[in-house]
Amino acid sequence: AQTVTQSQPEMSVQEAETVTLSCTYDTSESDYYLFWYKQPPSRQMILVIRQEAYKQQNATENRFSVNFQKAAKSFSLKISDSQLGDAAMYFCAYSSPGGTSYGKLTFGQGTILTVHP
Amino acid sequence: NAGVTQTPKFQVLKTGQSMTLQCAQDMNHEYMSWYRQDPGMGLRLIHYSVGAGITDQGEVPNGYNVSRSTTEDFPLRLLSAAPSQTSVYFCASSRTYATNEKLFFGSGTQLSVL
C-alpha cells in the first residue's frame, strides 16, 4: 500500500518570503499522481497543484510550484511571496492511475503553515 | 454555485445512536466519496461511489454504510455511533473516477460522539 509522509507538523514564514513544505511517499508504481491540497481555517479543502509522475517538468500555479524528485520519491511544495491568506494546513496526497484505484487519494498527515506579517 | 453541500456542519451524538450525514452535489459528478480527518492522520477514505447504484469500501469502512440511489446524493450512515468515530467528515466529488481528477470537497461535518 502507498504511504505519504509529511515530516513537518508545523512551519512558519514571514510575509513576502518563500517557504518549502516537504512530502515523501512510498510506492512501487511507476505512474501515479501527486497533489497538494490547502485547508484554511474555514475547513474547506482546496486543490493547490497537481503533478503527473510521467511528466518530468515540475508543475507551477502562480506563486506555487513543486520540486518533484521521482527517484527520491519526494514532492515538495514551494510557496513564493507568501501572503497572509496562505496560512492553512497543507496536505500532500497520492493517487494511483486507473485500475481499481477509482479516484482514491492517500493523504499525508498535514503541515500547518503560519504566515507572520 | 452550490458545489458539494454537506449537512449538518456540527453534530453531537451519544454512544449507540445512529445518524446520517448528508452529501449532495449539483455538478453531475460521477464519482463521490467520504473521508474522515483525524489529527496527525490526514484524511482517510471511508467509502466511495463511481456512479448511481455502485458503492465500495475505502480504507476505514467499519461502522459506516453508504448508498447512492441518485447521481446527486451520497449519504453516510453511522449505525451505532462510537467515540472512535469522533472526527471531521468530508464528502468529495469529481467529474469522473479517473485518478487525476480534481476533487471538490464539501465544508465538512464536525462529529462528536460522547
Side-chain angles (χ1 to χ4, degrees):
Chain A
Q2 292 79 23
T3 59
V4 177
T5 301
Q6 294 178 248
S7 58
Q8 307 156 315
E10 298 182 23
M11 291 284 285
S12 64
V13 64
Q14 291 293 131
E15 198 174 3
E17 297 293 308
T18 295
V19 64
T20 299
L21 308 184
S22 300
C23 173
T24 58
Y25 56 93
D26 185 26
T27 183
S28 58
E29 297 170 322
S30 59
D31 194 18
Y32 46 85
Y33 303 98
L34 296 164
F35 306 82
W36 278 99
Y37 278 86
K38 170 185 178 181
Q39 185 181 46
S42 66
R43 229 169 42 193
Q44 187 72 45
M45 293 284 287
I46 303 163
L47 178 64
V48 174
I49 202 163
R50 171 173 44 192
Q51 174 80 41
E52 299 179 28
Y54 66 86
K55 291 187 177 179
Q56 293 186 346
Q57 186 172 9
N58 289 326
T60 62
E61 288 286 343
N62 300 316
R63 298 182 295 106
F64 298 87
S65 62
V66 299
N67 183 6
F68 173 49
Q69 301 288 330
K70 192 172 184 179
K73 297 179 182 175
S74 171
F75 182 61
S76 59
L77 174 70
K78 185 171 83 171
I79 306 174
S80 304
D81 185 25
S82 296
Q83 300 175 359
L84 295 177
D86 294 334
M89 174 88 84
Y90 287 82
F91 289 98
C92 178
Y94 172 103
S95 178
S96 299
T100 58
S101 295
Y102 296 125
K104 301 174 193 175
L105 288 179
T106 299
F107 284 85
Q109 302 90 331
T111 296
I112 299 172
L113 177 66
T114 302
V115 181
H116 298 290
Chain B
N1 244 20
V4 179
T5 302
Q6 284 184 243
T7 56
K9 294 192 183 305
F10 300 94
Q11 184 70 49
V12 179
L13 292 177
K14 294 182 179 178
T15 297
Q17 286 185 317
S18 63
M19 79 158 295
T20 299
L21 306 185
Q22 301 291 345
C23 175
Q25 51 89 9
D26 62 357
M27 298 172 282
N28 199 32
H29 281 178
E30 184 176 51
Y31 179 84
M32 297 186 75
S33 56
W34 278 100
Y35 286 85
R36 60 177 287 174
Q37 181 180 3
D38 301 292
M41 303 187 74
L43 281 76
R44 293 178 293 167
L45 182 65
I46 305 172
H47 285 285
Y48 65 93
S49 169
V50 298
I54 306 169
T55 65
D56 205 347
Q57 298 179 351
E59 181 185 354
V60 288
N62 291 343
Y64 308 95
N65 275 359
V66 292
S67 60
R68 183 123 179 247
S69 57
T70 67
T71 299
E72 296 77 19
D73 300 300
F74 190 47
L76 178 72
R77 298 182 186 85
L78 282 69
L79 304 177
S80 178
S84 61
Q85 294 179 305
T86 293
S87 187
V88 179
Y89 291 85
F90 287 94
C91 180
S93 73
S94 61
R95 187 176 59 87
T96 74
Y97 57 77
T99 54
N100 63 338
E101 287 275 1
K102 172 184 176 181
L103 273 179
F104 292 78
F105 285 81
S107 57
T109 297
Q110 172 81 57
L111 175 67
S112 295
V113 183
L114 306 178

